[in-house]
Amino acid sequence: MTAYILPIEKPEKMVQIHVPRYNPEVDATPEMLTYTVPFVPTMTVMQALEYLWDQGEYIAFRSNCREFTCGSCAILINGEPRLACMTVLQDGMKLEPLSLFPTLRDLVVDQTKLLKKYANLRLWPDNPRVCFDDFQVSPQTIRRYGDIYSRCVECYCCLEACPSVAVDWESYAGPMLMIQLARVGEHPLDQEDRLKMAVANGLYLCTTCKKCEEVCPLDISCPRDVTENFRAQVVDRGIGLLKGHQEVIARIKENGKYTTAKGKSFLETVREKEEMGNPVDRVAFFVGCLADLHLQDSASAMVDVLKRNRVEVVTPKEQICCGSPLIRIGEVGLAEEVVLKNVDILERSGVERVVTICAHCAFTMREDWTKILAAKRGRSPKFEVFDISEYLARKIQINTEDLKPLTMSVTYHDPCYLNRGLDVSKEPRELLKKIPGVRLIEMEKSDRCCGGGGEVKDGAPQFAKAITSVKIKSIQKTSAEAVVTACPHCVEQIAEVSADSGASYQCFNIVELLSRSYQG
Amino acid sequence: MEHWVKEVVECDVLVVGGGGAAAFSAISAQEDKARVVMADKGQLGKSGCTPNAHGGMAVAHLHPEDSWRVHFEDTLYGGGFLNDQRLVEILCKESLRFIPKLETFGAIFDRDQNGNYRLRTFGGHSKPRSVYSGDATGHELMTSLKREVMRRNIPILNEMMILCVLVDEGRVTGAVGLDKASSNLCLFRTPAIILATGGGVGCWPAAAERQMGDGYCMALRAGAELVDMEFTQYHPTHTWWPYGVRGSVSESVRSEGGQLTNSRGERFMKRYSPERMELSTRDFISICEYREITEGRGSKSQGIYLSVTHLPPEVIENRLRTVFNKYLVYGYDIRKEPMEIRFRPHYSNGGVLVNERMESRVSGLFAVGETAGGVHGGNRLGTNSLIDLVVFGEIAGREAADKALKQGHTGKIDRDAVREEGERIERLVNGNPREGIRAMSIRRPHTEMMDLYMGVFRNESGMKKMVEEVEKLKEDDLPRLYVADQSKRYNYELIDALETFVRVDIEEVSTRGALMRKESRATHYREDYPKMDNQQWLKNLVFSMENGELKHRFKPVDKSVLDPENIPEFFDSDFPWHESEI
Ligand SMILES: Cc1cc2nc3c(=O)[nH]c(=O)nc-3n(C[C@H](O)[C@H](O)[C@H](O)COP(=O)(O)OP(=O)(O)OC[C@H]3O[C@@H](n4cnc5c(N)ncnc54)[C@H](O)[C@@H]3O)c2cc1C
Ligand code: SF4
Ligand code: SF4
Ligand code: FES
């Protein structure tokens, strides 16, 4: 038999990759080198590195299975943590070692710190080790092991990407370790109180930003599958609930609002119906607690923008908190009550579409409400929910004629619940580009969490602020005059911490910018 | 000697490796009160083949017609009756009690609504008996073992490549290792060593390309014997094209109706095995694929087409979810396009010759897992490996601990051998670049040659060519081998060079063995001797090394439980691939 020709010997094209070569023993700093490698369709980054080995360029990197089961090969590829064996090679890719750990050489990092944390969590079933021949494992446990826990290859991508780990790994163990804690906690032979361990390891420091889920090569979601589950158990068992969260729950129980008013409530002043002849559409406005009680300007701007687009707006005055804070805290029972009440109110208004200006509301209404309604009433809501950017960019023909120039440079921050939650990131940018005179300057990692979500800011405000500080640095780097976003939680968090640090830019919701432009 | 050695570690039992067999041995040795140290070339839990095993582990004789004896016979038929029957008996009788044990360590295996383990059937097993955890059985096994190792605080030296075993008067006294992080040598003083370094298919272009067979080489050079090394298992459906997808394509693709076709679109298996078609044994399909490719009917990229495009999309999306998703990651949709696959080496069936205590003929030197030979004979049945790791891991650990504690640290450290290791590394790093040769210039061509001459289809002239190549490698290349990278930290070129020495031994032993065995049996198929010859060849081929030269001997097969001569369907037949009829 003649030797076969390796596909790599007849490449489709040549591509370049950039790798910092670094041996801290002898080099002062990493030297970024560029290598040219052949490309065949579907070829991976790892195959490119292997090709270089074959050429005598022994770039140091770890690997073993080459089919995403061992988790050895995580590196930063164009700044995002990914498995080299799972990432298809593209021209110009930049490969770097994970930044969470010290670099030992080239792409190899020192994971000692992680291994210590791992050992400290005692991730084995804690029991007296007599022989257990006959114990039961519930079908649910088997399912969760199969769908979630056993699939984690411990690649550390999620740890690298997590904004909470980045600010303080001592306080928050991070997604992978939370998943592993949940894994062992669900084992029928484990007798240790894993919930208490989770709380002690920062259960309430996860902003539920879903970045870990986005980077996980196995699509495991820590916030959905682990964090919220654990938090629900905290509430059930009445242990470890933070003071700030108890207050949130108490407020919602008492008057249906997540926070107390600063100034006059928007809902008290707004006209319930903005009627007009020949509307292009008719929608209900779900205001959300923050826009109602703290950021009333954005709520007014919203009504203005809708009117200028000839959309008839109904704003039901009895609407209450969407339930998001309760679900993030783990108070699922109360959340269900709140949701059902809101559904009734909105359905009574008879509209088919509901629009929001809050990423948390939009996500919760679309995802959690649907689930709760299906479970409780066996049906789906009679209305569809849209975030305002999505609505303006996709649902109607936006009125661009009346947009007047605003000379301003802005940068856009992606709210996690909008971007990763509902996959809305292009729409707000399209809108910004429609406003004459507005110049969009993208910041580094615009999708990085601002610290405003997951109820961290009510439970552990200092920790949330530390996350925000990282965000603020990327905003400042752009020198933009304003940071625009699409969620009151982000607006409030960024504005507050920016003010503390004396930043000069403004911060507001995208509808405010639109409304200003309409007003000229 | 001190000049080379930067660190000395003393222990009762040194476990070499960080896969399933290593972890279980370490646990068992510690259970028996020995001070254990593990040294892994990679990282515990991430290295070796164990975390990559998907399918299952053959343990549970829960089917009403199944028993240890049925499992035993299946295993012998698979192995062409070359197996060590005493070991197979232990494997099949002991297996079931390990599942609860692994669950105590933290694993969870799939069960049905009534709490009974779910079972899968694998090729060669006449009954469903493989317990599994979804498609991540090996990963689940490894996760639980790793944590048990951590719970017991067993010291583990990650990224420590053991280079040689030190022996004094036929007894283990220690080992030398290379710390990848610093390139420093580490001396281990220990009366017992368990080699659990996995297989050696990395000498071929294999899925497990990182498994080079270090343990075989170390055992051979320490005076132990290797058995059945001519038998390398091929997996018939290994990914080939699209290029980015690696690893094997699960057997389930064929059991769900996947079709193997050649460049003419013909389901060629109908010419070779009209009844069983795509469901024939791994080796047989590999050989048919080989024929098609050599006769010019290979696929576009000189593989074979494996197609599921005729199946309803729902079947592909649900029942073949793992494979479907795997291809989708690389942007390839197997609902619309065929996969191109190729046979690839998958498992080293042979290994270190051991007794029922898993000890080699060198006192204190144990071998277990894929490193040990004998259990699987000429061919391992699917899912028989993972259970082998734990059953024999337990024995090896216990026996090694026993030996170490009874015997204590006696015997001298062979200082010359340690110095030789140091000098070998110095020679590599300071070699003369002008006439020198670097490791990658040997690795790639030799990998391809092993596929070409020592592949699934073998003949005298090819293997002779390979022997010549090995001689050339030994005489011309090894002395000139040098490492261009001068740094000490994570010098992967140095590792590549050190593995070249391992490669020489693996290539030589397996090729010489295969050349000698003038018949076809189990995974060893010879074009020039296509028939099984029970008169001449129902015996094991055993290699040892004396003064750097390979020596061989024949060992009669073990018939302590079942004498193949009493099974005329097998004994009188000359067909190389048998399966149990039960
Ligand atoms: C893709 C795939 C799927 C498989 N599926 C199955 C299945 O479903 N069922 C089944 O039963 N079997 C399966 N197998 C086979 C099975 O996985 C292996 O045979 C088994 O895991 C080998 O285990 P081990 O502990 O002997 O060696 P390995 O798990 O390979 O471990 C070897 C260890 O030795 C270390 N090592 C190597 N050299 C040195 C050295 N010089 N110094 C120190 N350490 C060293 C390595 O780092 C590694 O930790 C599969 C194999 C593959 C490749
Ligand atoms: S959701 Fe965000 S904060 Fe929470 S674990 Fe994942 S990355 Fe970290
Ligand atoms: S959860 Fe995902 S990203 Fe995190 S370690 Fe596990 S596999 Fe990797
Ligand atoms: S090499 Fe194992 S996950 Fe990439």
Side-chain angles (χ1 to χ4, degrees):
Chain A
M1 179 185 186
T2 47
Y4 50 81
I5 300 170
L6 281 173
I8 199 150
E9 287 164 20
K10 32 175 192 176
E12 192 184 79
K13 58 179 178 192
M14 301 302 280
V15 300
Q16 291 193 324
I17 53 173
H18 313 287
V19 190
R21 300 300 303 270
Y22 183 42
N23 180 356
E25 236 176 23
V26 289
D27 307 328
T29 49
E31 183 187 6
M32 187 63 86
L33 293 184
T34 298
Y35 300 92
T36 303
V37 295
F39 178 79
V40 255
T42 74
M43 179 170 165
T44 61
V45 168
M46 179 164 294
Q47 283 169 318
L49 290 168
E50 288 171 345
Y51 169 85
L52 290 172
W53 275 31
D54 289 351
Q55 307 305 306
E57 286 290 350
Y58 285 88
I59 297 171
F61 72 97
R62 289 196 180 103
S63 71
N64 179 41
C65 68
R66 302 136 98 219
E67 49 166 328
F68 49 97
T69 51
C70 76
S72 304
C73 65
I75 54 172
L76 290 177
I77 300 179
N78 290 342
E80 293 281 321
R82 308 187 63 179
L83 295 180
C85 69
M86 202 180 177
T87 307
V88 175
L89 184 65
Q90 279 170 20
D91 194 17
M93 272 180 165
K94 190 159 120 195
L95 317 183
E96 292 163 296
L98 295 184
S99 67
L100 187 60
F101 307 96
T103 303
L104 290 172
R105 187 169 179 192
D106 301 343
L107 302 173
V108 175
V109 293
D110 180 358
Q111 300 158 345
T112 318
K113 197 167 163 193
L114 182 272
L115 295 175
K116 280 213 188 92
K117 286 180 185 293
Y118 196 101
N120 287 343
L121 288 175
R122 303 199 316 281
L123 294 169
W124 43 82
D126 194 42
N127 59 55
R129 304 275 140 164
V130 284
C131 196
F132 298 97
D133 273 353
D134 203 23
F135 57 89
Q136 292 300 309
V137 187
S138 76
Q140 190 205 340
T141 297
I142 292 175
R143 196 160 12 86
R144 286 175 61 83
Y145 265 69
D147 290 349
I148 310 164
Y149 309 134
S150 308
R151 293 177 60 242
C152 170
V153 298
E154 301 185 8
C155 64
Y156 320 145
C157 283
C158 55
L159 296 174
E160 167 80 25
C162 173
S164 296
V165 166
V167 298
D168 183 6
W169 202 6
E170 294 312 317
S171 305
Y172 181 49
M176 179 192 110
L177 292 172
M178 283 291 162
I179 292 167
Q180 298 305 336
L181 264 182
R183 172 193 160 104
V184 62
E186 209 161 318
H187 196 286
L189 297 181
D190 186 43
Q191 295 175 359
E192 170 85 54
D193 192 339
R194 300 296 173 173
L195 186 61
K196 279 199 177 136
M197 287 177 83
V199 172
N201 280 283
L203 174 63
Y204 279 101
L205 299 179
C206 161
T207 66
T208 63
C209 73
K210 299 183 206 301
K211 183 67 187 178
C212 52
E213 173 183 333
E214 180 187 79
V215 299
C216 176
L218 280 306
D219 297 328
I220 298 168
S221 169
C222 178
R224 183 192 60 215
D225 295 331
V226 174
T227 313
E228 286 181 4
N229 244 328
F230 262 147
R231 290 183 181 181
Q233 291 174 41
V234 166
V235 173
D236 269 358
R237 283 182 44 194
I239 55 154
L241 200 56
L242 299 170
K243 191 164 157 285
H245 292 161
Q246 289 170 353
E247 289 166 8
V248 168
I249 296 172
R251 276 196 295 271
I252 298 181
K253 232 184 223 158
E254 206 175 299
N255 59 13
K257 296 289 170 182
Y258 142 84
T259 185
T260 44
K262 291 183 187 163
K264 220 166 168 54
S265 151
F266 170 78
L267 279 170
E268 279 171 25
T269 54
V270 70
R271 255 197 309 207
E272 180 137 0
K273 268 199 185 116
E274 288 286 351
E275 280 173 355
M276 63 178 68
N278 260 335
V280 295
D281 196 9
R282 195 167 164 264
V283 300
F285 174 25
F286 190 86
V287 184
C289 300
L290 275 187
D292 176 25
L293 302 173
H294 293 182
L295 301 163
Q296 294 87 342
D297 287 353
S298 60
S300 315
M302 170 77 153
V303 176
D304 179 47
V305 168
L306 286 170
K307 278 202 307 209
R308 296 198 188 245
N309 279 282
R310 305 206 53 76
V311 177
E312 195 172 287
V313 200
V314 190
T315 313
K317 285 188 179 263
E318 327 87 281
Q319 57 175 285
I320 53 173
C321 171
C322 71
S324 177
L326 296 171
I327 297 170
R328 305 320 143 207
I329 291 170
E331 182 38 288
V332 188
L334 183 56
E336 283 171 359
E337 287 176 31
V338 168
V339 169
L340 295 180
K341 200 163 166 195
N342 273 324
V343 168
D344 288 342
I345 293 166
L346 288 171
E347 286 184 349
R348 245 184 278 132
S349 71
V351 292
E352 286 168 17
R353 276 167 289 281
V354 179
V355 287
T356 73
I357 46 169
C358 173
H360 286 78
C361 294
F363 177 86
T364 306
M365 292 166 79
R366 219 187 260 173
E367 300 283 323
D368 299 295
W369 286 25
T370 310
K371 270 184 233 152
I372 290 171
L373 207 61
K376 294 284 155 187
R377 297 198 182 146
R379 65 171 180 88
S380 40
K382 292 183 185 142
F383 49 82
E384 274 186 289
V385 178
F386 295 94
D387 161 71
I388 183 65
S389 310
E390 197 185 11
Y391 181 78
L392 293 175
R394 300 279 178 266
K395 244 11 227 187
I396 58 168
Q397 192 77 36
I398 182 177
N399 165 11
T400 45
E401 270 163 42
D402 297 335
L403 286 172
K404 296 168 205 91
L406 281 180
T407 324
M408 185 183 248
S409 61
V410 302
T411 185
Y412 179 73
H413 159 70
D414 280 294
C416 303
Y417 273 66
L418 202 56
N419 172 30
R420 281 182 288 273
L422 298 176
D423 196 19
V424 174
S425 63
K426 289 196 199 74
E427 295 82 346
R429 289 178 169 80
E430 285 171 24
L431 294 182
L432 287 174
K433 285 184 189 144
K434 292 203 162 106
I435 306 174
V438 164
R439 190 161 58 93
L440 176 63
I441 312 171
E442 289 288 354
M443 69 176 99
E444 220 171 78
K445 296 202 194 281
S446 65
D447 73 329
R448 191 188 176 102
C449 177
C450 71
E455 279 308 296
V456 179
K457 70 175 181 329
D458 292 302
Q462 287 314 316
F463 194 89
K465 284 182 180 165
I467 300 177
T468 319
S469 305
V470 181
K471 181 96 243 173
I472 284 180
K473 287 203 189 92
S474 8
I475 300 173
Q476 280 171 331
K477 258 198 194 160
T478 64
S479 324
E481 289 160 78
V483 51
V484 179
T485 183
C487 176
H489 291 268
C490 303
V491 170
E492 193 171 61
Q493 184 69 13
I494 295 175
E496 201 179 311
V497 181
S498 301
D500 289 352
S501 62
S504 58
Y505 52 79
Q506 312 169 47
C507 178
F508 41 73
N509 197 304
I510 190 164
V511 286
E512 290 174 71
L513 197 67
L514 284 167
S515 167
R516 281 193 208 179
S517 165
Y518 281 126
Q519 284 165 15
Chain B
M1 178 181 97
E2 286 68 21
H3 160 60
W4 307 110
V5 174
K6 292 281 188 318
E7 197 187 347
V8 180
V9 174
E10 217 179 278
C11 55
D12 298 328
V13 176
L14 170 66
V15 177
V16 185
F24 212 99
S25 312
I27 293 166
S28 158
Q30 205 215 35
E31 183 84 38
D32 284 312
K33 311 281 181 294
R35 286 177 307 147
V36 188
V37 170
M38 295 179 77
D40 183 0
K41 191 176 172 177
Q43 296 172 299
L44 175 67
K46 294 188 175 298
S47 58
C49 285
T50 311
N52 312 346
H54 305 286
M57 52 203 283
V59 287
H61 310 129
L62 299 177
H63 188 277
E65 286 158 34
D66 202 6
S67 67
W68 80 265
R69 178 75 189 203
V70 181
H71 187 184
F72 174 87
E73 293 188 13
D74 288 348
T75 305
L76 291 192
Y77 274 100
F81 279 83
L82 294 181
N83 321 51
D84 184 334
Q85 298 193 2
R86 296 164 308 165
L87 297 182
V88 184
E89 184 177 352
I90 297 172
L91 180 83
C92 300
K93 280 187 173 164
E94 297 284 305
S95 54
L96 187 54
R97 76 186 163 84
F98 283 90
I99 287 295
K101 192 152 189 169
L102 291 167
E103 288 190 323
T104 313
F105 294 168
I108 291 287
F109 296 99
D110 283 22
R111 304 184 186 210
D112 63 19
Q113 293 297 330
N114 305 322
N116 299 319
Y117 296 113
R118 286 185 203 270
L119 302 176
R120 280 185 180 145
T121 314
F122 270 77
H125 290 284
S126 56
K127 298 286 175 293
R129 59 169 76 102
S130 301
V131 169
Y132 61 92
S133 309
D135 277 313
T137 315
H139 184 257
E140 188 65 9
L141 170 84
M142 203 57 233
T143 305
S144 62
L145 290 178
K146 168 172 152 189
R147 291 178 187 188
E148 181 67 7
V149 166
M150 294 177 93
R151 185 181 80 87
R152 290 169 175 270
N153 265 320
I154 297 175
I156 157 102
L157 300 167
N158 278 324
E159 304 189 309
M160 170 71 78
M161 174 181 184
I162 301 297
L163 301 174
C164 73
V165 170
L166 302 172
V167 181
D168 181 36
E169 294 182 352
R171 245 198 257 161
V172 164
T173 55
V176 180
L178 175 100
D179 181 359
K180 282 165 113 176
S182 63
S183 293
N184 288 335
L185 289 190
C186 178
L187 173 66
F188 294 84
R189 289 173 184 274
T190 176
I193 292 182
I194 301 175
L195 294 174
T197 56
V201 289
C203 295
W204 281 259
E209 199 168 282
R210 307 281 190 264
Q211 322 308 325
M212 297 303 297
D214 299 21
Y216 303 136
C217 168
M218 283 189 265
L220 192 65
R221 292 187 172 259
E225 293 179 308
L226 301 182
V227 64
D228 298 333
M229 290 296 287
E230 65 273 34
F231 293 97
T232 302
Q233 180 180 84
Y234 271 74
H235 195 295
T237 56
H238 190 283
T239 55
W240 182 242
W241 187 267
Y243 188 60
V245 198
R246 297 284 184 96
S248 52
V249 179
S250 149
E251 268 182 36
S252 57
V253 172
R254 281 173 288 135
S255 42
E256 290 295 338
Q259 297 180 347
L260 292 167
T261 54
N262 59 21
S263 59
R264 300 178 187 163
E266 173 198 19
R267 281 177 77 184
F268 56 88
M269 285 308 294
K270 70 173 186 278
R271 275 188 275 116
Y272 303 97
S273 173
E275 269 135 52
R276 307 201 56 198
M277 296 292 287
E278 277 85 2
L279 299 179
S280 300
T281 62
R282 287 183 179 181
D283 324 273
F284 188 64
I285 298 181
S286 300
I287 287 178
C288 303
E289 288 175 6
Y290 176 91
R291 286 229 172 95
E292 292 300 305
I293 298 170
T294 12
E295 288 165 19
R297 295 188 295 276
S299 67
K300 214 166 60 232
S301 315
Q302 302 184 59
I304 285 291
Y305 295 111
L306 172 59
S307 173
V308 290
T309 51
H310 58 285
L311 297 179
E314 314 84 70
V315 171
I316 301 171
E317 288 151 25
N318 298 320
R319 307 186 57 152
L320 302 176
R321 189 167 60 151
T322 311
V323 182
F324 172 61
N325 285 340
K326 180 161 156 174
Y327 277 82
L328 216 51
V329 163
Y330 304 93
Y332 200 84
D333 187 349
I334 63 168
R335 290 171 303 189
K336 302 197 178 113
E337 283 172 281
M339 300 163 257
E340 283 181 67
I341 52 88
R342 203 173 190 280
F343 49 94
R344 276 287 182 237
H346 189 64
Y347 186 85
S348 306
N349 296 301
V352 180
L353 182 63
V354 290
N355 57 21
E356 310 98 285
R357 287 179 287 111
M358 305 316 282
E359 191 173 14
S360 70
R361 73 175 187 183
V362 177
S363 171
L365 185 60
F366 297 78
V368 67
E370 202 170 332
T371 309
V375 190
H376 306 294
N379 192 7
R380 169 184 70 93
L381 297 189
T383 72
N384 255 359
S385 170
L386 290 185
I387 190 60
D388 152 7
L389 311 182
V390 293
V391 170
F392 295 110
E394 186 183 72
I395 296 176
R398 185 179 65 218
E399 296 295 335
D402 191 49
K403 182 128 208 167
L405 296 178
K406 277 205 188 110
Q407 193 172 283
H409 290 249
T410 52
K412 296 191 303 292
I413 291 289
D414 182 347
R415 294 171 153 251
D416 291 341
V418 181
R419 181 172 335 105
E420 250 171 61
E421 285 304 329
E423 283 173 358
R424 179 159 71 130
I425 290 164
E426 197 168 74
R427 261 201 315 277
L428 288 171
V429 178
N430 299 334
N432 177 357
R434 213 144 42 84
E435 291 152 30
I437 182 166
R438 290 173 67 190
M440 73 280 175
S441 316
I442 297 173
R443 176 167 38 84
R444 206 73 259 177
H446 267 260
T447 309
E448 305 305 342
M449 274 188 285
M450 283 298 274
D451 193 50
L452 193 57
Y453 302 126
M454 269 297 287
V456 67
F457 222 61
R458 300 158 173 189
N459 61 43
E460 176 137 345
S461 65
M463 287 188 287
K464 281 197 166 145
K465 182 98 201 326
M466 192 67 222
V467 172
E468 276 169 35
E469 292 288 347
V470 177
E471 288 302 320
K472 232 173 50 207
L473 173 57
K474 272 204 290 196
E475 266 143 46
D476 301 348
D477 295 342
L478 276 195
R480 295 191 294 134
L481 187 61
Y482 83 101
V483 174
D485 186 344
Q486 299 288 320
S487 43
K488 303 201 82 184
R489 263 200 197 180
Y490 288 93
N491 187 333
Y492 282 93
E493 182 174 359
L494 176 60
I495 306 297
D496 205 358
L498 290 167
E499 284 174 350
T500 311
F501 290 89
V502 174
R503 165 184 293 282
V504 175
D505 285 350
I506 308 299
E507 289 186 0
E508 182 163 13
V509 174
S510 45
T511 314
R512 284 195 192 277
L515 196 52
M516 238 173 258
R517 185 174 283 278
K518 292 191 164 66
E519 64 150 357
S520 293
R521 179 188 301 270
T523 58
H524 173 66
Y525 187 80
R526 286 194 57 162
E527 205 172 13
D528 38 2
Y529 300 95
K531 292 185 172 157
M532 182 166 74
D533 180 357
N534 280 324
Q535 296 300 333
Q536 292 283 330
W537 283 103
L538 197 56
K539 57 189 176 193
N540 302 102
L541 186 44
V542 177
F543 279 96
S544 58
M545 187 169 268
E546 274 164 41
N547 305 319
E549 291 290 315
L550 280 183
K551 294 273 179 297
H552 75 272
R553 69 177 175 99
F554 294 105
K555 184 175 91 58
V557 293
D558 177 36
K559 301 174 185 169
S560 51
V561 184
L562 181 65
D563 188 345
E565 285 189 42
N566 298 335
I567 314 171
E569 313 86 271
F570 173 79
F571 195 74
D572 300 339
S573 156
D574 60 9
F575 185 66
W577 303 284
H578 282 263
E579 275 180 67
S580 164
E581 296 302 318
I582 308 165

